[in-house]
Amino acid sequence: MLRFLPLKLGRLYRCLKLIFVIGLFVILLMNTHNLLASFQKNELTDRRFISLNKCPACFGTSWCRKFMNGQISFETWGRLRFLDVFNVKNVFFAQYGEPREGTRRIVLKRLGSNQELTDIDQKICKRATGRTRCDLIQAMYKTEFARLNGDVRLLTPDVVEGWSDLVHCPSQRLLDRIVRRYAETKDSGSFLLKNLKDTERMQLLMTLAFNPEPLVLQSFPSDEGWPFAKYLGACGRMVAVNYVGEELWSFFNAPWQKRVDLAKQLMDIAEQLTNNDFDFALYLLDVSFDNFAVGPRDGKVIVVDAENVVVADKRLIKQNKPENYDVWYESKFEECDKEACLSFSKDTMCSRVTVDHNYYAICQNLLSRYAVWRGSSGGLLHDPPPHIAKDGQLKVLLDECANPKKRYGRFQAAKDLREYLTQLSSTARSKPVTG
């Protein structure tokens, strides 16, 4: 019976596989005309397809000329619309061409699933008319996004606090930075709202409320050394960012030396976002292998999904001195059988100067034995070489970083882990790469 069962399951798997292939072939036959049309037409020049017709209920217009001129086109599989059913996150790979620079790969994001984008429309209508369906453009002028007219000098915390993770606890310094660096206006560089057009203000506020990722990328740009993908521009509800490289998950079984280098970079990112010269702490709430990518040339690790980032202004916390503001905060470890589990308190992040959340998130969800992703466990540093496994130091540091046994143990473990990974990286570089 035990022998018979695997054979039966094997046949069932092959049968299902054959049915899937036949089904896909039938779909291709039924959509032959649409397939030919897809390859002949550049849908990224279609105003309705990129939701330019919904502006100012959109994310920007700075790249519309490039879209309309046909400088941006989907890569081969991205042109097949029937495959969108598998593309839940609405993330596409495309080619962008400039006469002098040639063609390069970029990433296009709709910043939400189809359902989430529909919810945006319904929420705007609800705020303006009390109904879920309406004339979207007219409705925008009746929402709080339009009430901040040209007479208002500054975007202030009392207006936008709690709209999204980015402004869960905003300071005036953060909001001035967001407005000053807003890339969807020709007059960027000023923190005064009056320098933005009415439509630009509405686009900025809508982005801040529904998906602030573009504003994170603009406010903390890669050009200044922040570990985020480079923001390029937007047209309607299609945002363009620089293509970084393959996702971190594709390196899960890379050679040991490579994984050590990536792990060290991840811990460096945790440190940079927690402690920097600007006194802004950026806490990553969504940490998974899909949300990081690795550059093909420089091997640099970059955050490619920055929607869920809490920004706390340490200067403001020190100034206001809320209760226990100077007491180090340790994130509580919670073991679970789901992917990318994290336990956190956004309010605590906003009221303490010293918080270990980023170390906790990186160690638990990416590096340690507690990391679970796509059915695999063991983390990025799984199966170390025998001499490292025998030494035991790596396991001790990872365990203490993810699930500390001592008070403030994670802070020290994170520091020691960074140093240990640096040593391993240096040793690896000094030896020829094998295997």
Side-chain angles (χ1 to χ4, degrees):
M1 182 64 183
L2 292 176
R3 282 185 174 182
F4 179 68
L5 187 59
L7 286 172
K8 208 168 184 181
L9 290 175
R11 288 174 184 169
L12 179 61
Y13 172 76
R14 287 194 294 272
C15 183
L16 291 174
K17 193 175 179 181
L18 180 62
I19 292 172
F20 175 78
V21 171
I22 293 173
L24 186 61
F25 181 70
V26 171
I27 291 173
L28 288 172
L29 284 178
M30 292 175 65
N31 288 274
T32 301
H33 177 74
N34 293 335
L35 286 175
L36 293 174
S38 295
F39 283 106
Q40 293 171 353
K41 179 184 177 183
N42 184 358
E43 290 180 296
L44 293 174
T45 62
D46 185 334
R47 294 171 61 90
R48 296 188 67 85
F49 181 78
I50 59 178
S51 297
L52 180 57
N53 61 310
K54 294 188 176 183
C55 288
C58 66
F59 301 119
T61 57
S62 64
W63 259 40
C64 281
R65 181 173 295 180
K66 301 179 190 298
F67 275 85
M68 295 301 114
N69 287 346
Q71 291 175 257
I72 305 165
S73 58
F74 284 127
E75 292 185 348
T76 307
W77 295 108
R79 299 181 183 184
L80 305 180
R81 296 278 64 80
F82 72 89
L83 293 178
D84 287 349
V85 67
F86 302 108
N87 188 6
V88 179
K89 291 186 176 181
N90 275 327
V91 176
F92 307 89
F93 296 105
Q95 292 291 325
Y96 164 58
E98 276 284 3
R100 296 180 182 179
E101 299 176 7
T103 303
R104 60 188 171 106
R105 199 180 199 192
I106 62 172
V107 177
L108 300 178
K109 297 183 175 186
R110 280 205 172 113
L111 299 181
S113 65
N114 291 339
Q115 184 57 53
E116 287 170 335
L117 294 172
T118 299
D119 289 344
I120 289 177
D121 294 347
Q122 292 179 351
K123 286 177 181 177
I124 291 173
C125 287
K126 195 89 173 176
R127 292 181 183 194
T129 67
R131 301 188 303 273
T132 56
R133 299 185 68 180
C134 66
D135 184 315
L136 195 64
I137 297 176
Q138 288 186 12
M140 276 294 287
Y141 287 89
K142 297 178 182 178
T143 65
E144 65 268 43
F145 304 139
R147 292 186 192 121
L148 290 178
N149 55 42
D151 296 330
V152 179
R153 248 182 120 254
L154 301 175
L155 182 62
T156 54
D158 61 295
V159 173
V160 298
E161 184 174 353
W163 278 16
S164 60
D165 289 333
L166 176 59
V167 288
H168 185 78
C169 52
S171 66
Q172 190 60 57
R173 188 167 69 102
L174 172 63
L175 295 181
D176 289 349
R177 185 184 183 92
I178 290 172
V179 176
R180 188 171 66 247
R181 292 165 179 256
Y182 185 50
E184 294 302 316
T185 175
K186 293 180 180 179
D187 297 318
S188 60
S190 171
F191 57 84
L192 298 177
L193 277 181
K194 67 179 182 180
N195 288 344
L196 298 179
K197 297 176 182 177
D198 289 344
T199 54
E200 292 170 346
R201 276 195 300 277
M202 285 189 277
Q203 287 166 184
L204 167 60
L205 294 172
M206 199 201 89
T207 305
L208 194 58
F210 291 114
N211 190 326
E213 179 176 4
L215 302 177
V216 174
L217 305 186
Q218 294 165 35
S219 302
F220 303 95
S222 60
D223 293 345
E224 296 179 5
W226 294 96
F228 298 111
K230 184 177 182 178
Y231 181 82
L232 299 175
C235 186
R237 290 186 178 174
M238 194 71 83
V239 168
V241 299
N242 194 41
Y243 172 73
V244 173
E246 292 186 46
E247 62 184 30
L248 182 63
W249 175 248
S250 62
F251 294 87
F252 188 79
N253 290 312
W256 173 251
Q257 296 96 317
K258 180 65 176 178
R259 288 186 282 130
V260 166
D261 176 64
L262 297 177
K264 176 189 175 297
Q265 290 190 61
L266 287 166
M267 291 303 294
D268 288 344
I269 288 174
E271 175 64 24
Q272 179 188 5
L273 296 182
T274 303
N275 300 303
N276 51 71
D277 294 337
F278 300 94
D279 271 345
F280 284 118
L282 283 70
Y283 298 114
L284 304 175
L285 304 186
D286 186 5
V287 175
S288 69
F289 283 90
D290 280 357
N291 291 344
F292 295 81
V294 181
R297 295 181 181 177
D298 57 10
K300 190 174 181 180
V301 179
I302 295 294
V303 180
V304 293
D305 189 333
E307 176 184 355
N308 304 113
V309 177
V310 166
V311 180
D313 189 336
K314 291 186 177 183
R315 292 183 192 175
L316 184 65
I317 297 173
K318 293 173 185 176
Q319 176 185 316
N320 291 344
K321 298 182 179 179
E323 185 179 0
N324 296 323
Y325 80 98
D326 55 350
V327 177
W328 290 12
Y329 178 75
E330 291 183 292
S331 302
K332 293 182 180 180
F333 170 81
E334 285 190 15
E335 189 170 4
C336 72
D337 57 358
K338 296 180 181 179
E339 296 180 342
C341 277
L342 281 180
S343 170
F344 52 81
S345 166
K346 289 187 274 190
D347 290 340
T348 303
M349 293 173 185
C350 292
S351 60
R352 302 285 184 98
V353 175
T354 307
V355 178
D356 67 357
H357 173 81
N358 285 331
Y359 312 127
Y360 156 64
I362 296 294
C363 285
Q364 173 164 309
N365 282 6
L366 300 179
L367 304 185
S368 74
R369 61 191 174 95
Y370 300 105
V372 177
W373 192 250
R374 295 186 185 177
S376 297
S377 59
L380 189 64
L381 294 174
H382 65 87
D383 299 320
H387 67 283
I388 293 176
K390 186 177 180 180
D391 175 73
Q393 186 177 358
L394 179 62
K395 181 180 183 302
V396 169
L397 290 175
L398 286 173
D399 282 353
E400 189 67 9
C401 184
N403 184 14
K405 299 299 186 290
K406 305 173 185 176
R407 191 182 185 192
Y408 303 137
R410 186 179 286 119
F411 291 96
Q412 187 61 47
K415 179 177 179 295
D416 293 343
L417 181 59
R418 287 181 68 213
E419 293 174 356
Y420 184 69
L421 291 172
T422 300
Q423 293 174 9
L424 291 181
S425 294
S426 301
T427 303
R429 281 195 296 269
S430 65
K431 294 180 180 179
V433 177
T434 58

